Amino acid sequence: MPVGKKLTSLAYELLSKKNAAIYNQAIMDFGATVCKPQLPLCASCPLQKKCGAFLNNKVSILPIKEKAIKKTQRWFYYIVAQYKNEVYIQERLQKDIWQNLHQFVLIEMPEKSSVQSVINSNAFKTVFGSIKYNVAENSKEYTQILSHQTIRGNF
Ligand code: SF4
């Protein structure tokens, strides 16, 4: 089992199900005041006798940091296409974390793009073909930071 999964499973096993909120707060306080990443207070730590890092003289090398995650940058342009009182909504079919969710028409561009570039893209033409339209508005740029990617874009 990968280390991350093992730790998650162990953490869940140890979690007080009845007092999860208090338990989680206590763990965070313990990490902030006693078992700190820099200079943990092992000499006065109540868990010293059960601590694998302390007993094996590995406090200074644990936890081993995983390699920094390389974040990708993506540019999403959502087309809020309105016809009379209806708005075009599409289902996401791509196999990713948003699969089967619904969204405004998404045109993903390889880089920051102007409205005109989005309109000129093949992805836009594939969805809208030769439909006549009028661009009423272009929103400000929004940013959503996720663990593995940063998404920027407009509506
Ligand atoms: S003894 Fe272990 S649990 Fe306690 S502060 Fe040191 S490293 Fe953390």
Side-chain angles (χ1 to χ4, degrees), residues 63-89:
I64 295 166
K65 277 194 183 165
E66 287 187 24
K67 279 185 202 155
I69 297 167
K70 192 171 177 281
K71 279 199 176 193
T72 50
Q73 167 77 64
R74 298 174 76 183
W75 293 95
F76 283 10
Y77 294 92
Y78 284 104
I79 315 298
V80 187
Q82 198 172 349
Y83 178 69
K84 294 186 178 170
N85 286 328
E86 299 189 331
V87 174
Y88 189 159
I89 297 292

Side-chain angles (χ1 to χ4, degrees), residues 26-69:
I27 290 286
M28 286 192 285
D29 288 348
F30 182 67
T33 57
V34 182
C35 191
K36 303 176 287 179
Q38 309 290 330
L39 301 177
L41 307 178
C42 301
S44 55
C45 175
L47 301 181
Q48 193 197 76
K49 288 190 179 130
K50 291 186 173 181
C51 173
F54 184 80
L55 296 175
N56 294 298
N57 204 20
K58 287 188 174 172
V59 172
S60 61
I61 60 164
L62 292 176
I64 295 166
K65 277 194 183 165
E66 287 187 24
K67 279 185 202 155
I69 297 167

